[in-house]
Amino acid sequence: ILIKELITNGAIYSLETQNSNGSVDDYYPYEQASGATAFTAYALINCLEMKSLNISKYHHEKFKKRLFWLSNHYETGRLSNHEALIILVLAKSSKFYNDNILLNKAYERFERLLNWHSEEGWFEEYGGFDLGYETLTFSCLVEINNFLPSIKSKLNKIIKKNAETIMSCIEPDYCL
C-alpha cells in the first residue's frame, strides 16, 4: 500500500505544480515543455489505467487540462519521439475518458507525424536520423496500434519498415 501512496502523492504533486495552462516545465521555469508534459502525462494515464492511482475529480480536471494543452501545442522542431508519445497519450486518454475530441486530436497528430517519416523508414529528430529516439518512436507506434483502429493497416506497414530500419543498425556483435 505504501507504493500506491507514493504514486498518488507524486501524481498529485505533478498536477498541483503544473502551469495554469496544463503544461509542465522541464528545466527552466515557465518553459512549458512538450516532452516533460507528454512523459508525465504518459505516466499518469498508465497509472490511471492500471487503477494504481486514485485521484479526486479536481485532479482529473487538472490532468485533462494537461491533455488538452498537449493536444493543441506544437513544438517548433521536429521531434518524432515527442509527437509519437503525445499521440499515444491522447489515444490512451481518449479511451480512458471516453473523449472523442482527444481521439480526433490523436488521429490529427498521427497525420502530422507521417510527414516526418522518411522513405528509408525512419522518423525525423532534430533534422535527421537518431537511433535512440527512433526506438522510442517505434515503441510508441506499436502501442498506438492498439488504440487507433482506423489506421491499423497503414500503421502496420510503417511499424514493419521502422523495425527493419532499426534492425539494420545492429552491429555484428549485436550492439545497437
Side-chain angles (χ1 to χ4, degrees), residues 30-151:
Y30 311 110
E31 81 180 295
Q32 302 178 37
S34 292
T37 306
F39 279 101
T40 57
Y42 180 71
L44 290 169
I45 192 60
N46 281 326
C47 289
L48 287 168
E49 285 177 327
M50 292 185 295
K51 296 181 177 30
S52 59
L53 177 59
N54 187 15
I55 56 175
S56 67
K57 183 177 179 181
Y58 168 78
H59 287 108
H60 275 284
E61 292 306 315
K62 287 187 83 72
F63 182 51
K64 287 179 186 176
K65 195 168 203 175
R66 185 175 299 190
L67 297 170
F68 281 98
W69 182 87
L70 265 179
S71 73
N72 292 306
H73 180 76
Y74 296 92
E75 294 177 305
T76 54
R78 289 185 174 188
L79 302 174
S80 296
N81 76 95
H82 287 186
E83 194 68 17
L85 185 61
I86 290 167
I87 295 162
L88 178 56
V89 166
L90 296 177
K92 289 172 77 97
S93 298
S94 72
K95 183 177 180 184
F96 183 82
Y97 287 113
N98 195 26
D99 189 305
N100 284 330
I101 295 171
L102 293 174
L103 180 63
N104 290 334
K105 281 294 193 173
Y107 279 113
E108 180 184 305
R109 299 291 291 247
F110 177 74
E111 291 303 318
R112 180 174 190 245
L113 179 63
L114 284 183
N115 292 321
W116 304 348
H117 188 241
S118 78
E119 290 180 18
E120 296 173 333
W122 49 269
F123 285 89
E124 188 174 338
E125 294 288 340
Y126 298 106
F129 172 69
D130 182 285
L131 181 59
Y133 289 129
E134 194 69 32
T135 58
L136 176 59
T137 302
F138 174 78
S139 71
C140 289
L141 292 173
V142 170
E143 199 171 348
I144 288 166
N145 210 15
N146 298 323
F147 292 95
L148 301 180
S150 69
I151 59 169

Side-chain angles (χ1 to χ4, degrees), residues 19-31:
N19 294 310
S20 61
N21 63 5
S23 68
V24 174
D25 300 325
D26 192 357
Y27 183 76
Y28 299 103
Y30 311 110
E31 81 180 295

